[in-house]
Amino acid sequence: MEALKFGLMLIGLAIAAGLGYAAWPSQLLLGVSVFSAVLGVLFLIQEGRRGRSRN
């Protein structure tokens, strides 16, 4: 459950950074957006695998 919350928080950060990048393009915001999106998806995949192994 903790990984799910953390993954969703990272996806939210990626969306916020993406919106910031749309308003003010910079490589830092682009990097934060991509990095947090990838990390968030990995956390969600990990939580999905953990939940599937319980069943």
Side-chain angles (χ1 to χ4, degrees), residues 23-37:
W24 183 57
S26 76
Q27 286 192 335
L28 177 67
L29 284 175
L30 182 62
V32 167
S33 178
V34 170
F35 179 74
S36 58

Side-chain angles (χ1 to χ4, degrees), residues 3 38-52:
V38 169
L39 206 59
V41 167
L42 289 175
F43 270 97
L44 291 178
I45 289 171
Q46 176 187 5
E47 182 65 23
R49 286 183 181 172
R50 189 178 303 156
R52 198 177 316 138

